[in-house]
Amino acid sequence: MKAPVSIGAVRKLIKEMQSSARDAKPLAVGGARELATVLARELTRGGDASAVRIGDPEGASVYVHIATGDDEADLTRARRARVPVVAVASGDGPLPFVLETDVVRIHGGEALPVDEILAAVAARLG
């Protein structure tokens, strides 16, 4: 299935976010700690590392949550902070406070689909 936004456009969006990181809110990544670290490194490759942070969604432009099975507290914090959420999850179950259209589904043993996550972030930010 073709993504609604070209990957080049999404990468350009991330680069613009990185170049204006001083004025813009960063993207926050949380949930599964090890995978969050990997995703943050992939998102900032060749750009400004301050455009993406790991942890609390408060003050972020968008919160990318990598589901762990015990997600309600993190997702509640994002909702209370009024931060849009994109989730990365395995399985078919719903996540609290996350629209199904904002969930990137993965299967066990597969690499993080960075391009799909970027497309979901771009779609969520409009």
Side-chain angles (χ1 to χ4, degrees):
M1 181 171 97
K2 188 173 179 179
V5 178
S6 76
I7 299 306
V10 173
R11 292 229 184 253
K12 185 176 178 182
L13 171 70
I14 293 295
K15 285 202 182 278
E16 287 177 22
M17 285 174 51
Q18 291 169 342
S19 70
S20 62
R22 185 176 50 123
D23 300 325
K25 296 177 182 179
L27 182 142
V29 181
R33 185 85 177 154
E34 291 175 8
L35 291 176
T37 302
V38 170
L39 181 59
R41 185 176 45 242
E42 288 297 315
L43 292 174
T44 58
R45 184 183 306 219
D48 181 3
S50 67
V52 177
R53 70 166 190 244
I54 297 173
D56 188 19
E58 183 75 36
S61 59
V62 68
Y63 175 61
V64 178
H65 180 78
I66 302 174
T68 63
D70 185 23
D71 307 296
E72 192 164 351
D74 291 336
L75 296 172
T76 298
R77 266 195 302 282
R79 182 173 187 213
R80 286 186 180 147
R82 297 179 185 259
V83 174
V85 175
V86 169
V88 179
S90 61
D92 296 328
L95 292 167
F97 314 117
V98 182
L99 297 173
E100 186 60 33
T101 56
D102 296 332
V103 178
V104 176
R105 297 288 177 183
I106 59 173
H107 304 288
E110 125 185 338
L112 282 173
V114 176
D115 291 337
E116 285 181 51
I117 295 167
L118 286 173
V121 168
R124 187 67 177 104
L125 291 175

